[in-house]
Amino acid sequence: MSIFCYQCQETARNVGCTVRGVCGKDDQVAAMQDLTIYLLKGLSLWGVRAKALGLSDPAADVFVAEALFATITNVNFDPTRFVTLAHRALVHRDALKARVVEASQKAGVSLAESLPEMATWQPVKGDLAELEAKGREVGVMSNPALNEDVRSLRWLIIYGLKGLAAYTDHAHVLGYNDPAIYALMQEALALITNDAASADDLVAMTLKVGQTGVTAMALLDQANTTTYGHPEPTQVNIGVKPGPAILISGHDLRDLDELLQQTAGKGVNVYTHGEMLPANAYPAFKKYPHLVGNYGGSWWRQDKEFEAFGGAILMTTNCLVPPKPSYIGRLFTTGLVGWPGVAHIPDRVDGQQKDFSAVIATALESASPQELETGTIPIGYARHAVLSVADKVIAAIQAGAVKRFVVMAGCDGRHRTREYFTDVAQALPHDSIILTAGCAKYRYNKLGLGDIGGIPRVLDAGQCNDSYSLVAVALALAQALNVPSVNDLPIEYDIAWYEQKAVLVLLALLSLGVKKIRLGPTLPAFLSPNVAKVLVEKFDLRPTTTVEADVAAIVAGQ
């Protein structure tokens, strides 16, 4: 095997990519990502010891989240960027080690126990070739004798942590941090290096990652809404306007904010794409008349949509797919995103904004975008908007006008099997309301499913980053309807997953005790049969089946 990776839903044969990632990453990038995880484990071993001695290192804490985020599917494909991450990991690790050794000596604490290699390994040259070679030794299958259930649980934890890191990093960019979240990341990474940790220990940590995920999503919700206001119900234009343009994709709202400030008055229209669509509902962004709407749909269509757009394109976070030569010259990355040869906008320095002048200059040289569609779509139904009309929602439930809520959040992807989610949305009876967040909505948000007494039948809470809204709405409805738990509500869960942020959302729901979650279009390949069995037996986790069978079960509340 050149690589082994099974972190995303599209992994080859639902077993694992072994030659090249379906996402487009080659064996070199795969090895560097494996090395990054390996070094983060070593850093975390010292981080846990530091915290036990009362030592803190906020810069190392933030770095762990950033580096984990960089390894999420479709974020960074540039091996040289991972070289930089590897060296930063070693610097943080060794600085923590020195402080722990010094503090331990002063406190008379023994450090006699042996530590795993990742806590002490040092490269000789530290170049790409050496780091890549090490990465090939430390991947998922580095110990073929490891019990498959232990491996499954360890990687379930790692993939949950990657999602947790993404949400945490987004909050950090806006100045919001929670030391307990960073501590949990390192605690979990340290645990999975411990061969004495039992399956029960790993299961407990899995749920702890989910619980912390709820905390992180709430923190990000606070960061977004405090900074940009609460999203408002909004009809977003999906057509085009004449004039030079920039298309911004990904999830980073601060990048959009700074881009809008820098393009104001310059004759450049700005369009959102993919998971940036929900930004059009924030009051802070509505004041910019040159934010003219959303262009295109889900991330996996970007090769055709970016080509048709014709203007400058800014990718702020995942999900990047291998760019075509026809538009690679007008594509820019920023943040943790990377592709070899693509112009990268550097991070902020000393509190200053990022410099998007190169993006703007490219846009000014472009013609108007090619129109793909016309009309508008409704967005902006995050927790504040929904709960502000909670009395109407509850009245509709009590009157029987609304009999079922169906949470169809999560990710979109290329598989034809994902047409299942479109078909389910169309087949649901008209007394059902879909609650959604994430790019899964592109499977049904343009179907025109109507409304129930003025309540749209598709309530779009926003990005996958906004999944907390769905949790908040469910908890508020349970309280208002005076039922013991969310499992007693007329809510069903039909979740689409693709990458690791969706894994974290799943763990968050499980940690809240939510049961009867349907997950598709396949169960994750990293769940061993025994681990999958535990999730099925304890939480009634279910694979999606046929549209007819699942809709019938949803309607019956089964």
Side-chain angles (χ1 to χ4, degrees):
M1 295 184 293
S2 300
I3 69 173
F4 186 85
C5 180
Y6 56 2
Q7 71 177 3
C8 84
Q9 187 275 320
E10 291 183 355
T11 194
R13 305 175 306 282
N14 202 40
V15 174
C17 294
T18 57
V19 178
R20 184 181 180 88
V22 171
C23 63
K25 70 179 176 184
D26 60 21
D27 57 340
Q28 187 177 60
V29 172
M32 292 303 295
Q33 291 185 354
D34 288 339
L35 177 70
T36 301
I37 299 300
Y38 171 81
L39 294 177
L40 291 177
K41 293 176 187 175
L43 190 164
S44 296
L45 284 163
W46 291 109
V48 169
R49 284 162 175 75
K51 288 175 175 59
L53 292 166
L55 304 175
S56 64
D57 189 339
D61 292 344
V62 170
F63 171 77
V64 171
E66 290 178 346
L68 279 170
F69 192 1
T71 67
I72 282 181
T73 303
N74 291 346
V75 174
N76 200 327
F77 298 84
D78 189 343
T80 62
R81 298 272 297 282
F82 283 103
V83 171
T84 301
L85 286 174
H87 284 289
R88 289 178 63 195
L90 290 166
V91 169
H92 283 299
R93 185 199 69 184
D94 293 344
L96 275 170
K97 175 184 176 182
R99 294 179 66 196
V100 168
V101 169
E102 180 183 7
S104 298
Q105 290 173 342
K106 288 181 179 179
V109 177
S110 173
L111 287 173
E113 84 275 20
S114 61
L115 290 172
E117 183 196 47
M118 68 278 292
T120 58
W121 177 78
Q122 290 286 355
V124 177
K125 293 182 178 180
D127 59 6
L128 175 58
E130 181 185 12
L131 296 174
E132 177 190 345
K134 186 63 180 177
R136 293 181 186 278
E137 298 176 3
V138 298
V140 175
M141 303 303 292
S142 57
N143 179 7
L146 184 66
N147 177 278
E148 71 168 344
D149 298 329
V150 171
R151 178 184 291 111
S152 176
L153 287 168
R154 285 180 176 181
W155 285 94
L156 175 57
I157 289 169
I158 289 173
Y159 297 148
L161 289 175
K162 290 187 180 191
L164 178 62
Y167 295 132
T168 303
D169 182 70
H170 283 302
H172 167 72
V173 166
L174 293 176
Y176 288 74
N177 297 277
D178 183 342
I181 298 174
Y182 295 117
L184 181 278
M185 288 184 197
Q186 294 176 41
E187 179 188 349
L189 286 168
L191 175 69
I192 59 181
T193 70
N194 183 1
D195 291 334
S198 67
D200 287 342
D201 294 332
L202 295 170
V203 169
M205 179 55 73
T206 300
L207 293 179
K208 196 170 182 180
V209 170
Q211 292 164 358
T212 309
V214 177
T215 302
M217 288 189 285
L219 180 68
L220 179 56
D221 180 272
Q222 179 189 8
N224 285 339
T225 57
T226 302
T227 307
Y228 302 115
H230 286 282
E232 303 165 342
T234 303
Q235 290 287 336
V236 179
N237 173 49
I238 57 175
V240 299
K241 293 187 176 182
I246 295 171
L247 187 63
I248 181 168
S249 193
H251 306 72
D252 196 299
L253 297 182
R254 185 172 177 185
D255 284 341
L256 173 63
D257 185 13
E258 294 178 359
L259 179 67
L260 289 171
Q261 291 181 49
Q262 294 176 36
T263 49
K266 294 186 177 178
V268 175
N269 293 323
V270 176
Y271 297 79
T272 57
H273 175 269
E275 285 270 58
M276 200 64 84
L277 162 65
N280 292 275
Y282 283 90
F285 301 134
K286 289 186 174 184
K287 66 183 181 183
Y288 294 102
H290 63 296
L291 177 61
V292 296
N294 191 74
Y295 187 88
S298 183
W299 63 272
W300 62 275
R301 300 179 185 274
Q302 70 184 245
D303 58 344
K304 295 181 177 60
E305 292 172 352
F306 286 6
E307 188 169 44
F309 184 71
I313 304 153
L314 177 64
M315 180 62 73
T316 66
T317 60
N318 58 315
C319 302
L320 176 68
V321 304
K324 288 182 175 181
S326 57
Y327 63 80
I328 197 170
R330 47 188 173 85
L331 175 65
F332 298 82
T333 61
T334 192
L336 295 167
V337 194
W339 184 272
V342 170
H344 187 75
I345 306 301
D347 287 336
R348 300 168 185 89
V349 178
D350 298 329
Q352 299 298 309
Q353 292 189 359
K354 292 182 181 180
D355 181 3
F356 292 118
S357 57
V359 184
I360 297 168
T362 299
L364 289 170
E365 296 173 354
S366 67
S368 302
Q370 175 183 326
E371 190 164 76
L372 299 177
E373 54 195 339
T374 59
T376 62
I377 51 176
I379 65 168
Y381 292 92
R383 62 177 178 87
H384 186 265
V386 174
L387 295 180
S388 68
V389 293
D391 55 338
K392 295 180 181 179
V393 174
I394 292 168
I397 295 171
Q398 292 172 336
V402 174
K403 293 184 178 178
R404 191 71 51 191
F405 290 91
V406 186
V407 177
M408 293 178 66
C411 313
D412 195 15
R414 288 168 281 231
H415 275 188
R416 286 192 174 184
T417 51
R418 289 181 180 271
E419 294 174 3
Y420 159 93
F421 295 101
T422 303
D423 295 341
V424 166
Q426 290 177 312
L428 287 171
H430 289 277
D431 55 14
S432 302
I433 288 179
I434 296 170
L435 302 175
T436 192
C439 59
K441 62 174 161 274
Y442 282 111
R443 287 286 171 174
Y444 43 78
N445 68 341
K446 299 175 184 177
L447 294 178
L449 296 178
D451 64 83
I452 302 174
I455 304 171
R457 288 193 59 230
V458 177
L459 294 178
D460 180 5
Q463 300 177 343
C464 55
N465 295 357
D466 299 313
S467 295
Y468 175 74
S469 277
L470 305 182
V471 172
V473 168
L475 294 174
L477 285 177
Q479 182 177 12
L481 293 171
N482 196 29
V483 298
S485 78
V486 292
N487 294 311
D488 298 299
L489 288 169
I491 297 181
E492 301 293 321
Y493 296 82
D494 203 31
I495 306 294
W497 84 282
Y498 180 80
E499 43 90 338
Q500 298 81 67
K501 287 186 285 184
V503 174
L504 191 274
V505 171
L506 173 65
L507 296 184
L509 291 173
L510 296 182
S511 76
L512 292 170
V514 176
K515 296 186 176 182
K516 296 194 307 179
I517 298 173
R518 290 176 180 82
L519 187 67
T522 58
L523 289 183
F526 52 80
L527 295 182
S528 68
N530 286 334
V531 171
K533 182 180 178 183
V534 169
L535 294 177
V536 169
E537 291 178 349
K538 185 171 182 178
F539 298 102
D540 198 8
L541 183 69
R542 309 170 180 188
T544 53
T545 60
T546 66
V547 173
E548 295 76 17
D550 287 352
V551 169
I554 288 170
V555 171
Q558 297 175 344

